[in-house]
Amino acid sequence: MHINGKAAALFTIFFVVVNPLKEDIFESEHRLQNALMTNYSSTVRPATELDKPVHVQLMLDLMRIDELDATKETMTTTFMLTQTWKDPRLAWNTSHYGGVKSIRLKESSIWRPDIEVANQAPGLSLTSEALPLISYDGTVIYVPYKTVPTYCAMDLTLFPYDTQKCIIKLTPWTHNALEIDLGLFGHYLNTTDQMKIPRESLSDLQWELLEGTATLSSKKFDCCPEKYSFFEVSLQMSRNTNFYRYVVTWPSVVACFLVPFLFALPSHSSQKITYGLALMIFESIIILTFAETNSFDHKTVPNIAIFHLITLILTSTSLLLSIFIVSISCGDMRKHVPAWLQRLALTDSCLRTVLCLGQYRDSKGYSSGRGGGFLLEETHETHHHEPELRTISENEVTRDVSESLRAIAEKMSSDESRIKVTQDWREVGRLLDRVLFFLCILTVLVLLIWSARLWSG
């Protein structure tokens, strides 16, 4: 009975004291809303004087970088845009409305600055319906939630270790700077008119925000004499490379070590053809992996793609040279090395010294400076002995012996000539492979230095 008596007393206090207070609050907010909306126009600026602008303070809170599309050069971001201004028509005396200090109204029922994204790109754009918070002194805080694609010029030269800088431009769409004056919100405002975008708010897997700043600017267009204010948010981002490290970077490092060994193999060896074809397949697979992981339909080409293209060209060139040298130094198509190529590749000691090849000597130990004189000397020597052979041949037997000796001498001379021609062409192939080797090393060094300079810049 005692407990029931206490419960009855609390029940009575709630309905007699608390419930009337709630009803008064509801009634006060209802009366306040009716009073504020009476004779209120949502299309008229809340300016106290006609020649004075409405001061609107902005702050962008970046929630996520949804996508950076290199092909379309667009960036899709999700952010909250805080807007605050004063509307004297929405001020009230708290004592007249039961002490109510704030109220929320539908966004379509009050005046709002028509802040739009000036560099918006085609695509899916979403804006949430937010309720503006109105304080008793007429201060309005409006925080819509937006997902907007914007244009962003991208540079993929350092892919996949690239950094991109994109800008989101916000401006009053139909009001000039004399009608709406933009400012930076709250405690983010400093003497340089620059606001830092907090990095802690970003949660993304592919891109990391390095720095985000918001600044104010103004621009005059040819159509209108007045200036227009802009709220520009600059975002500098770096790509997370955990995935690309395994599908792009490490295969490129492996290719960088494998390709130079191709130029060390002899031009006539079948192992070189097999090794070169395997390298070409490897390079083609890497390029196809690039195409699958990222779109390269872009005005800039990554340095790493240039490296693989050049190594593919050098590998193909080396294989074609090997096939040419084997075909021209063997079989019926065997031909002597042209004189100009002999001077350049076999006797030019300066070029061979630069390429670290040393002086060329054939299988008989003669220097390459004698060129193709060996065959001529052997032939001359053979012909020199012909009179002696003829003088000796007194009868049929001696003539047969003489002809046999001459055939043997010509056969030996022909074999040695073929061997020398083959060796000369192989040496030419060795020199050309050495040139391709140095071109490969030079390509790697140039691309590394270029990338380092861009990275430091």
Side-chain angles (χ1 to χ4, degrees):
M1 293 294 294
H2 181 66
I3 297 176
N4 291 335
K6 283 187 175 181
L10 292 175
F11 189 74
T12 304
I13 292 173
F14 177 79
F15 276 96
V16 173
V17 179
V18 179
N19 199 46
L21 288 177
K22 285 190 175 182
E23 290 180 356
D24 290 342
I25 293 175
F26 297 151
E27 183 182 354
S28 297
E29 289 191 357
H30 184 67
R31 288 191 300 108
L32 175 59
Q33 180 177 348
N34 292 334
L36 294 178
M37 293 295 98
T38 302
N39 297 327
Y40 187 91
S41 176
S42 59
T43 59
V44 178
R45 287 187 309 119
T48 55
E49 297 181 15
L50 185 62
D51 58 346
K52 287 188 177 181
V54 178
H55 299 282
V56 179
Q57 291 185 335
L58 301 178
M59 181 182 72
L60 187 141
D61 189 4
L62 184 63
M63 305 302 297
R64 183 180 176 86
I65 301 173
D66 298 287
E67 182 186 13
L68 260 74
D69 192 332
T71 303
K72 299 179 181 178
E73 290 194 309
T74 59
M75 174 186 67
T76 304
T77 51
T78 299
F79 56 86
M80 291 190 298
L81 182 62
T82 302
Q83 309 171 45
T84 177
W85 66 93
K86 278 196 172 184
D87 191 339
R89 298 170 296 178
L90 299 178
W92 69 88
N93 191 335
T94 57
S95 61
H96 295 168
Y97 297 96
V100 176
K101 294 184 177 180
S102 63
I103 190 174
R104 290 169 177 82
L105 300 175
K106 289 184 177 181
E107 59 180 359
S108 59
S109 62
I110 66 171
W111 180 89
R112 292 169 297 139
D114 53 344
I115 305 296
E116 298 291 344
V117 180
N119 61 335
Q120 182 172 344
L124 181 62
S125 179
L126 301 174
T127 302
S128 65
E129 293 184 2
L131 295 176
L133 176 63
I134 305 169
S135 300
Y136 66 93
D137 60 349
T139 300
V140 183
I141 299 178
Y142 178 53
V143 189
Y145 192 86
K146 291 178 176 287
T147 298
V148 179
T150 54
Y151 289 107
C152 176
M154 300 179 64
D155 186 359
L156 299 179
T157 304
L158 297 178
F159 174 85
Y161 299 94
D162 53 329
T163 58
Q164 305 296 338
K165 185 177 181 180
C166 300
I167 296 177
I168 304 175
K169 290 185 178 182
L170 299 163
T171 183
W173 198 248
T174 60
H175 295 85
N176 56 47
L178 300 178
E179 297 172 332
I180 292 182
D181 180 30
L182 298 183
L184 302 180
F185 179 78
H187 62 277
Y188 292 98
L189 184 63
N190 54 38
T191 55
T192 59
D193 284 341
Q194 189 176 81
M195 181 198 317
K196 293 291 183 180
I197 303 298
R199 296 175 58 183
E200 294 77 14
S201 62
L202 182 63
S203 176
D204 189 75
L205 297 177
Q206 186 177 3
W207 293 90
E208 178 185 358
L209 180 64
L210 300 178
E211 184 181 11
T213 58
T215 57
L216 298 174
S217 64
S218 59
K219 183 179 179 180
K220 182 181 291 187
F221 296 93
D222 296 336
C223 64
C224 313
E226 302 86 0
K227 289 184 178 181
Y228 285 81
S229 300
F230 286 89
F231 178 78
E232 297 186 359
V233 178
S234 177
L235 304 176
Q236 187 172 0
M237 301 153 289
S238 65
R239 191 191 303 267
N240 290 329
T241 59
N242 292 332
F243 171 74
Y244 296 102
R245 187 182 297 126
Y246 296 102
V247 300
V248 175
T249 305
W250 284 115
S252 301
V253 173
V254 172
C256 189
F257 282 100
L258 290 180
V259 171
F261 287 103
L262 174 68
F263 309 120
L265 295 176
S267 300
H268 61 282
S269 65
S270 60
Q271 291 83 358
K272 180 172 184 176
I273 305 295
T274 304
Y275 186 66
L277 291 176
L279 280 180
M280 292 181 63
I281 295 173
F282 179 63
E283 294 286 347
S284 301
I285 291 175
I286 294 178
I287 294 175
L288 290 176
T289 304
F290 286 167
E292 291 293 331
T293 56
N294 197 9
S295 173
F296 288 104
D297 185 12
H298 199 263
K299 61 183 178 182
T300 58
V301 180
N303 285 345
I304 196 168
I306 296 176
F307 163 74
H308 285 291
L309 177 62
I310 292 178
T311 54
L312 186 62
I313 293 174
L314 294 178
T315 302
S316 305
T317 304
S318 180
L319 292 181
L320 291 176
L321 287 174
S322 297
I323 295 173
F324 172 76
I325 288 173
V326 169
S327 63
I328 203 171
S329 62
C330 301
D332 297 335
M333 294 182 60
R334 184 184 288 110
K335 295 181 180 180
H336 288 281
V337 179
W340 65 270
L341 189 55
Q342 282 192 10
R343 290 192 299 269
L344 180 65
L346 303 180
T347 63
D348 191 345
S349 59
C350 294
L351 177 61
R352 296 182 64 85
T353 302
V354 170
L355 297 177
C356 305
L357 289 175
Q359 187 177 10
Y360 169 62
R361 294 180 179 274
D362 58 22
S363 61
K364 302 293 289 182
Y366 298 115
S367 173
S368 61
R370 296 177 62 177
F374 178 79
L375 178 62
L376 297 177
E377 289 177 2
E378 293 292 337
T379 305
H380 177 72
E381 186 177 353
T382 301
H383 289 295
H384 177 71
H385 288 289
E386 284 182 3
E388 295 182 5
L389 292 175
R390 291 196 183 98
T391 57
I392 295 174
S393 56
E394 297 289 339
N395 51 36
E396 190 69 24
V397 175
T398 57
R399 281 196 301 270
D400 293 340
V401 172
S402 176
E403 291 176 359
S404 299
L405 291 175
R406 184 171 57 186
I408 292 172
E410 291 178 353
K411 181 68 169 58
M412 293 178 60
S413 175
S414 176
D415 291 343
E416 290 180 356
S417 175
R418 284 197 297 269
I419 293 174
K420 186 179 186 304
V421 169
T422 301
Q423 289 181 341
D424 287 347
W425 277 114
R426 289 177 179 178
E427 185 64 20
V428 171
R430 181 167 170 254
L431 181 137
L432 294 177
D433 276 337
R434 188 62 58 89
V435 172
L436 295 177
F437 169 79
F438 281 108
L439 285 177
C440 181
I441 299 299
L442 181 63
T443 299
V444 174
L445 292 177
V446 169
L447 291 177
L448 285 177
I449 294 174
W450 184 18
S451 300
R453 291 186 61 183
L454 292 177
W455 185 273
S456 61

